[in-house]
Amino acid sequence: MADFTTRPEILGTFGVVASTHWLATATGMATLERGGNAFDAAVAAGFALQVVEPHLNGPGGDLPIILYSARTDAVEVICGQGVAPQAATVAAYRELGLDLVPGNGLLAAVVPGAFDAWLRLLRDHGTLRLRDVLAPAIGFARRGYPVVPTISATIERVRDLFVSAWPTSAAVYLPGGEVPAPGSLFRNPALADTYERILGEAESAGGERAAQIETARRAWYRGFVAEAIDRFCRCNEVLDVTGRRHRGLLTADDLARWQATVEPPLTCDYHEYTLCKPGPWSQAPVALQQLALLKGFDLAALSATDPAFVHTVVECAKLAFADREAFYGDPAFVDVPMATLLSDAYNDERRALVGEVASFELRPGWIEGYGGEVPLRARRTTADVAHAGAHGGLGEPTVPRDDPALSGRGDTCHVDVIDRHGNMVAATPSGGWLQSSPVIPELGFCLGTRAQMFWLDERHPNGLAPGKRPRTTLSPSLALRGGEPYLAFGTPGGDQQDQWALHVFLRHVHFGMNLQAAIDAPAFHTEHAPRSFYPREARPGHVALEGRFPQATLDELRRRGHDVEVCDDWSLGRVCAAARDGAILKAAANPRLMQNYAIGR
């Protein structure tokens, strides 16, 4: 029987783009059509996403990129995850009476990394000028873009906070004192002015493309943008989720010290595929370890809705995410035993822990001389899941479960591009959400809150330290097939990213589903491990499934002891994907929320 799909899998030979917003997808495709390559298109789409999905990412946020360059025949990772300020010590937070970094406000701000990562991609791999890739975003900010329902719902959720405590955000996102209506035209002229000023400074450097890009990087990290951020953090006490007001710790010097870096990916061979991921400064290696565990099971004998498939994948995820909690951290600061964590011998031992019934224990492995104690906070079950906090904007904008206007748990963005030359890129921009911290008025955007992912424990691999990267959840993917670059994919979703995206990969690999069918299939995930976002709860034994799963599957999972949460039929996952199969290029995008789109020619 043919795969059921909500949309066709896009096929072409010239280029394909998939992203979490149709305007970004169109921007990327237009960039390819004007002669840009995949990297130019990704940058243009990425800057567009900052404008049209302000509740999911922004200029003050973070960005990991994974790419394949046909010119160099190499896969690279660009790390646009900014670091903690020099003043951000565990002692500094303890002196404020805190045992967690707040989930919003200024105390959780790290260096904004997205801008430099996009410009590094453009400089090193692109062909177009900065104005070419920034112009669409400036146009959306200056002339306006249509508001999607989730933007309106997000602003409504934090409206009282904006009015009572964050007036600079109210000035931008509550025009005329009202929440922008879905479908209405929304503008952010201050953001357009910021990017126009950067372009003006860049073009004053002369006509040479690389010189303009370098001048733009200086304007951001050593010029007027850094100065405005420094001034705002020093001069404003901002209400955050603690119920108190705090100044920020981020300074212009912190921005000047930092730049995006390039590194090789981590990999795992799985059947005829090789999955490539960022390192353990992100959660990305959990996808590799899940594959290392799943190698020992005959998934191809099952089906996408088989309870044995869901049970096996969830139980392996619990083990991999437990190791994330115990071992992962910025490898510039801590020695993460990735070779062991991804080894066959280690995972053969770990695989033996997968039984016929659901585990309710957090069971990290033991590697002598490595790892740290995993703090466990509020432990909730499906029966007592509480509404998200009263101060709005906590953590990655995970959606309150009792708010039907926000079903779909949308957060973060993603874009995939493949061009006719064989270049591939997957990028997952996030952070700097409109609900994360107050807008810096002269810039038109707010700072991100990624430092909430640190533990306030110097001994833990992911413990806070000055200049250290928080262990982010952002996790784009690139897969080889038979040694040839094949698939770029990823998703928003916080802790769920390396479940939703991995499940699409598994359905494609084992059940022969095309990319669109693999994305459309009923989705699931577990929240068994502690969340990476404030207030860091865990839900032991939990598994969430879309209501499209057969009742027999739900019943069998309950019989096996899982704490089953049945979600709306089309509510879990926002995966995008693009593939190169010989001369044919393919792309697909998630239909949930009716916002992701793929296009190609």
Side-chain angles (χ1 to χ4, degrees), residues 30 87 147 203-204 271 304 345 359 368 370-371 445 500 529 545-546 566 593:
V147 171
E203 291 172 349
S204 70
H271 298 278
S359 169
E368 186 174 2
Y370 296 92
F445 66 82
W500 292 340
L545 302 97
E546 289 183 332
V566 181
L593 298 183

Side-chain angles (χ1 to χ4, degrees), residues 297 311-312 315 351-359 363 560 562:
F297 298 95
H311 171 81
T312 302
E315 292 304 301
R351 190 181 304 115
L353 296 175
V354 177
E356 290 299 310
V357 298
S359 169
R363 299 180 291 180
R560 292 184 183 224
H562 293 276

Side-chain angles (χ1 to χ4, degrees), residues 438-453:
V439 168
I440 301 171
E442 58 264 58
L443 299 179
F445 66 82
C446 59
L447 295 171
T449 53
R450 196 64 61 178
Q452 67 184 288
M453 305 180 115

Side-chain angles (χ1 to χ4, degrees), residues 290 293-294 297 311-321 354:
Q290 286 174 84
L293 291 162
L294 290 167
F297 298 95
H311 171 81
T312 302
V313 171
V314 164
E315 292 304 301
C316 288
K318 291 175 183 177
L319 297 173
F321 275 85
V354 177

Side-chain angles (χ1 to χ4, degrees), residues 382-429:
T382 296
D384 63 9
V385 168
H387 190 285
H391 291 281
L394 308 187
E396 194 150 2
T398 301
V399 174
R401 296 171 184 271
D402 57 356
D403 187 344
L406 287 174
S407 64
R409 299 171 62 96
D411 56 278
T412 306
C413 305
H414 187 79
V415 60
D416 302 307
V417 188
I418 303 178
D419 65 25
R420 65 191 185 280
H421 310 295
N423 298 307
M424 297 184 179
V425 59
T428 310

Side-chain angles (χ1 to χ4, degrees), residues 297-375:
F297 298 95
D298 185 11
L299 298 185
L302 306 174
S303 73
T305 59
D306 192 312
F309 174 69
V310 176
H311 171 81
T312 302
V313 171
V314 164
E315 292 304 301
C316 288
K318 291 175 183 177
L319 297 173
F321 275 85
D323 282 348
R324 178 195 77 170
E325 290 302 304
F327 297 108
Y328 288 19
D330 184 349
F333 283 73
V334 295
D335 187 7
V336 183
M338 287 312 312
T340 299
L341 290 170
L342 298 181
S343 68
D344 288 340
Y346 180 80
N347 286 291
D348 288 347
E349 290 186 10
R350 300 284 279 152
R351 190 181 304 115
L353 296 175
V354 177
E356 290 299 310
V357 298
S359 169
F360 276 66
E361 299 299 319
L362 192 69
R363 299 180 291 180
W366 183 82
I367 302 175
E368 186 174 2
Y370 296 92
E373 183 177 348
V374 180

Side-chain angles (χ1 to χ4, degrees), residues 27 74 82 86 89 111 139 171 183 311 330 400 416 420 443 515 559 575:
T27 297
Q86 290 299 305
T89 64
V111 173
H311 171 81
D330 184 349
D416 302 307
R420 65 191 185 280
L443 299 179
L515 296 181
R559 189 193 70 78
V575 178

